[in-house]
Amino acid sequence: MVTMQREAGYGREQRSEQRSELGEGGEFDLIRRMLAERAAAASGLVRVGPGDDAAVLGDGTVLSVDMAVEDVHFRRSWLEPEEIGYRSAMAALSDLAAMAAEPVGVLAAIALRAEDRDGAIAIVRGIEEATQRCGAALLGGDVTRSPHGFVIDIAVIGRTDAPITRAGAVPGDRLWVTGELGGAAAAVHAWRQGGQPDEEARVRFARPSARVHEARWLAERCALHALIDLSDGLAGDASHVAAASGVRVVIDIDALPIARAAVAIAGGNAGEARALALTGGEDYELLFAAPAGEVEPHVAEFAQRFGSAITALGEIATGDGVWTRTADGRQQRLAAHGYQHFEES
Amino acid sequence: MVTMQREAGYGREQRSEQRSELGEGGEFDLIRRMLAERAAAASGLVRVGPGDDAAVLGDGTVLSVDMAVEDVHFRRSWLEPEEIGYRSAMAALSDLAAMAAEPVGVLAAIALRAEDRDGAIAIVRGIEEATQRCGAALLGGDVTRSPHGFVIDIAVIGRTDAPITRAGAVPGDRLWVTGELGGAAAAVHAWRQGGQPDEEARVRFARPSARVHEARWLAERCALHALIDLSDGLAGDASHVAAASGVRVVIDIDALPIARAAVAIAGGNAGEARALALTGGEDYELLFAAPAGEVEPHVAEFAQRFGSAITALGEIATGDGVWTRTADGRQQRLAAHGYQHFEES
């Protein structure tokens, strides 16, 4: 789905390389803004226009699309075809999780070369598996020839009576995150170094879980003020919440739930592990803000039910931007690291 | 949207060349069938699964996706970027016309190279214009980098209380078609010969009209038994109606409304002009079947209102396949020309 800043991040040190080689292209933010503006003009029809994770129609229908391009979002040498399909579908379904919407259906458009037909069949199987895991149905799609590699576009439809957007966080809210961060980035880091990721890292990249069930479970129990899925990386997605809500997002740096795989790939360098957790994309965990006391009573049951933690990550404050906070209370703006600027105007 | 047989056709004589160079790839029918079967398994949820032009959910929501790939569906030397966007959106919106659904919204996913950014902005403008013309809203999308040319996937959502599918034609029905056929194919024919199409042909390829208003107007006035849009070409799409309805589709060859541009490009060869009208894809006209007397009273008003004719093209009979009928009543099966077989099993 259109976001106002969208760039795949797999660790800060590789950002410039990614731009030219791997990544969704920060240089296209102008087009993304244009799409978002057009959608905003349709606001009589939509309750939540793009700029958020998905469009919500007046009747509660939630829609999003997510395109995965070979050698931009994945490399064939990294993934089995079934995994390519699985993660493409999960990336799109995660946009429904980000609105606490109930998944209904998926349409898959696939472009492929003639010689990749068997791979495409496996891709459809992967899409189907991800779709079923999220309680949705594969409703159809389009299959066409590509002169080059795979292109997979997943359109998802869901329903919600009460979409939770990025825009409702208020100062005083607590900030929460599900699961662990940096695992998918650790896998990409390993591949890019010419190595192989360990199994945990590989699974986190190849078979991410869209937190659709978790998001609805939380939304049924807690008055969530703002919700987003972590597709661009914590720093980037937190900046979307900050911008949409008009608040400062404060992240307690010591609270970061760093994936073991990210710690391992960082080889004992704590700063590097933190960077992977802060900026690594495609973990598809949930980041959310809620008044103090709303989420706390449900942390234990969440862990038991979903086998995954919810971590108190920080707070929402007055101001703007995304700031890290150390144990001694010192805050540092993440904007200085370059996550929030537009490439072009 | 998935159809059981899908190949771009621009005149019979070029079919083998198209396979390798331009065309959606008949070799992928196995994957299309797989997607259609998966969707059929979701039939508790959907009223009309793929195999038809769009999926219809139980609440009347209609969904479809249509992917356009550079050098497969269009060439950059043929079209302005705005036209690339316009026709991509119209192709998808035509799937809503094919169900007599009311268009609601469009989501656009676009992959592009960094140097094509200005072109992509024009593509979005073209998508927006097509969307507005059909009474829908541009709801958002996704923008990402492509290592090669443009890839545009359009997801459309619409509504209908009474979808009209390909499956309801019965023997005795009359067969009708809107507009004129072969115009888009004439343009492609000219380009492929190294020339330039005349303006009429060019417009028919570059700026087709999805017949969304026409389809709803007809559906409100006539008891249509079956309806499809002509994306694959008359012969191919008529074969979808024949297969889905379990009937024979009989086309009066002298009744074919051949576009002037197709006659012109055929240079006086009547057989060639007919072939363009029979097999040329992407005219996006409507083909429909209705009991005798249902459509006839509305032909004149349709022409006046929409500036386009409805032509009585033939009839539905018992049997199977698509047959042409000459003035002396002789019928010839179009299957013999190879439109209906699957490339692979």
Side-chain angles (χ1 to χ4, degrees):
Chain A
M1 197 62 190
V2 169
T3 58
M4 297 305 280
Q5 175 218 22
R6 186 80 180 255
E7 23 177 285
Y10 302 117
R12 202 183 313 161
E13 78 288 358
Q14 286 154 349
R15 187 155 299 271
S16 61
E17 188 189 347
Q18 280 162 228
R19 275 286 151 66
S20 59
E21 200 184 323
L22 199 77
E24 301 202 338
E27 66 270 36
F28 303 138
D29 286 329
L30 179 65
I31 310 169
R32 294 186 182 107
R33 277 208 297 282
M34 185 180 166
L35 265 179
E37 282 161 14
R38 295 308 187 278
S43 59
L45 181 70
V46 298
R47 294 207 296 203
V48 180
D52 221 292
D53 299 285
V56 184
L57 304 186
D59 65 355
T61 299
V62 184
L63 294 166
S64 188
V65 291
D66 201 282
M67 187 178 266
V69 180
E70 183 170 346
D71 292 331
V72 175
H73 297 85
F74 61 87
R75 291 197 182 141
R76 207 178 291 217
S77 58
W78 296 355
L79 295 176
E80 297 299 319
E82 204 145 343
E83 294 168 335
I84 293 171
Y86 188 91
R87 75 185 298 277
S88 298
M90 280 296 185
L93 287 157
S94 185
D95 285 334
L96 297 179
M99 310 295 282
E102 178 186 1
V104 173
V106 163
L107 287 91
I110 305 171
L112 66 148
R113 299 180 302 181
E115 59 265 42
D116 291 332
R117 208 182 49 157
D118 290 347
I121 290 170
I123 285 174
V124 173
R125 282 204 198 97
I127 292 169
E128 190 183 19
E129 189 189 345
T131 300
Q132 288 173 345
R133 285 203 176 213
C134 291
L138 183 53
L139 300 176
D142 192 19
V143 181
T144 192
R145 200 165 60 77
S146 165
H148 307 288
F150 285 117
V151 180
I152 302 155
D153 190 50
I154 305 287
V156 290
I157 181 167
R159 306 267 183 223
T160 178
D161 293 327
I164 302 170
T165 74
R166 312 168 171 187
V170 296
D173 281 350
R174 297 201 74 175
L175 183 70
W176 301 87
V177 70
T178 62
E180 298 174 340
L181 307 179
V188 174
H189 188 97
W191 279 312
R192 292 174 62 86
Q193 301 288 327
Q196 285 296 324
D198 67 22
E199 189 56 21
E200 181 193 326
R202 194 184 178 288
V203 165
R204 284 181 184 271
F205 182 82
R207 296 182 65 86
S209 288
R211 298 289 195 184
V212 291
H213 303 301
E214 292 87 337
R216 296 185 65 220
W217 190 91
L218 285 165
E220 284 166 9
R221 285 160 183 77
C222 315
L224 304 183
H225 280 170
L227 176 62
I228 195 169
D229 69 316
L230 296 183
S231 51
D232 297 353
L234 175 58
D237 289 311
S239 78
H240 299 322
V241 173
S245 297
V247 296
R248 172 184 296 194
V249 174
V250 180
I251 295 170
D252 288 321
I253 199 74
D254 293 334
L256 273 178
I258 306 175
R260 196 201 53 75
V263 174
I265 202 92
N269 181 331
E272 176 62 17
R274 271 202 302 270
L276 282 167
L278 267 175
T279 68
E282 302 178 292
D283 285 317
Y284 300 111
E285 297 293 348
L286 301 172
L287 180 73
F288 52 102
E294 276 292 325
V295 176
E296 290 83 344
H298 306 287
V299 168
E301 190 184 347
F302 183 96
Q304 191 172 31
R305 177 176 289 259
F306 298 109
S308 177
I310 313 178
T311 301
L313 189 62
E315 63 174 10
I316 304 298
T318 54
D320 59 12
V322 180
W323 300 65
T324 56
R325 182 167 63 186
T326 49
D328 60 6
R330 273 195 312 139
Q331 292 191 20
Q332 189 174 5
R333 191 182 174 111
L334 269 176
H337 299 163
Y339 301 115
Q340 295 180 71
H341 72 283
F342 289 114
E343 294 286 295
E344 322 253 348
S345 63
Chain B
M1 197 61 189
V2 170
T3 58
M4 298 305 281
Q5 176 218 23
R6 186 79 180 254
E7 24 179 283
Y10 301 116
R12 202 183 314 162
E13 78 288 358
Q14 284 155 349
R15 188 156 296 273
S16 61
E17 190 189 346
Q18 281 162 228
R19 276 286 152 65
S20 58
E21 199 185 324
L22 200 78
E24 301 202 339
E27 65 271 36
F28 302 139
D29 286 330
L30 179 65
I31 310 169
R32 295 186 182 106
R33 277 208 298 281
M34 186 179 165
L35 265 178
E37 283 162 13
R38 295 309 187 276
S43 58
L45 182 69
V46 298
R47 293 208 295 204
V48 181
D52 221 292
D53 299 285
V56 185
L57 305 185
D59 65 355
T61 300
V62 184
L63 293 166
S64 189
V65 291
D66 201 282
M67 186 177 267
V69 180
E70 182 170 347
D71 291 331
V72 174
H73 297 86
F74 61 88
R75 289 198 182 140
R76 207 178 291 216
S77 58
W78 296 354
L79 296 175
E80 296 299 320
E82 204 145 341
E83 294 168 336
I84 293 171
Y86 188 91
R87 74 187 297 278
S88 298
M90 281 295 185
L93 287 157
S94 185
D95 285 334
L96 297 180
M99 311 295 283
E102 178 186 2
V104 173
V106 163
L107 287 92
I110 305 171
L112 66 148
R113 298 180 303 181
E115 59 265 41
D116 290 332
R117 209 182 47 156
D118 291 348
I121 290 170
I123 284 174
V124 172
R125 283 204 198 97
I127 292 169
E128 190 183 18
E129 189 189 344
T131 299
Q132 288 172 345
R133 286 204 174 210
C134 291
L138 182 52
L139 300 176
D142 192 18
V143 181
T144 191
R145 199 166 60 76
S146 165
H148 308 287
F150 286 116
V151 180
I152 301 155
D153 190 51
I154 306 287
V156 290
I157 181 167
R159 307 266 183 222
T160 176
D161 294 327
I164 302 171
T165 73
R166 311 167 170 188
V170 296
D173 281 351
R174 297 200 74 174
L175 183 71
W176 301 86
V177 69
T178 61
E180 298 173 340
L181 306 179
V188 174
H189 189 96
W191 278 313
R192 294 175 60 85
Q193 302 287 327
Q196 285 297 324
D198 66 22
E199 189 56 20
E200 180 193 327
R202 193 184 178 288
V203 166
R204 284 182 183 268
F205 181 82
R207 296 181 64 86
S209 288
R211 298 289 196 184
V212 291
H213 304 300
E214 291 87 339
R216 296 185 65 221
W217 190 91
L218 286 166
E220 283 165 9
R221 285 158 183 79
C222 315
L224 303 184
H225 280 170
L227 176 62
I228 195 169
D229 68 316
L230 297 182
S231 51
D232 297 352
L234 174 59
D237 289 311
S239 78
H240 299 321
V241 172
S245 296
V247 296
R248 171 184 294 195
V249 174
V250 179
I251 296 171
D252 288 320
I253 199 74
D254 293 334
L256 273 179
I258 306 175
R260 197 203 51 75
V263 174
I265 202 93
N269 182 332
E272 176 63 19
R274 271 203 301 270
L276 283 167
L278 267 176
T279 68
E282 303 177 292
D283 284 317
Y284 300 111
E285 297 293 349
L286 300 174
L287 180 73
F288 52 101
E294 276 293 324
V295 176
E296 289 83 345
H298 307 287
V299 168
E301 190 184 348
F302 184 96
Q304 190 171 31
R305 177 176 288 258
F306 298 109
S308 178
I310 312 178
T311 301
L313 189 62
E315 63 174 8
I316 304 297
T318 54
D320 60 11
V322 180
W323 300 65
T324 55
R325 183 167 60 186
T326 49
D328 59 7
R330 271 195 315 139
Q331 292 192 20
Q332 189 174 7
R333 191 182 175 112
L334 269 176
H337 299 162
Y339 300 115
Q340 295 181 69
H341 72 284
F342 290 113
E343 294 287 294
E344 321 253 349
S345 63

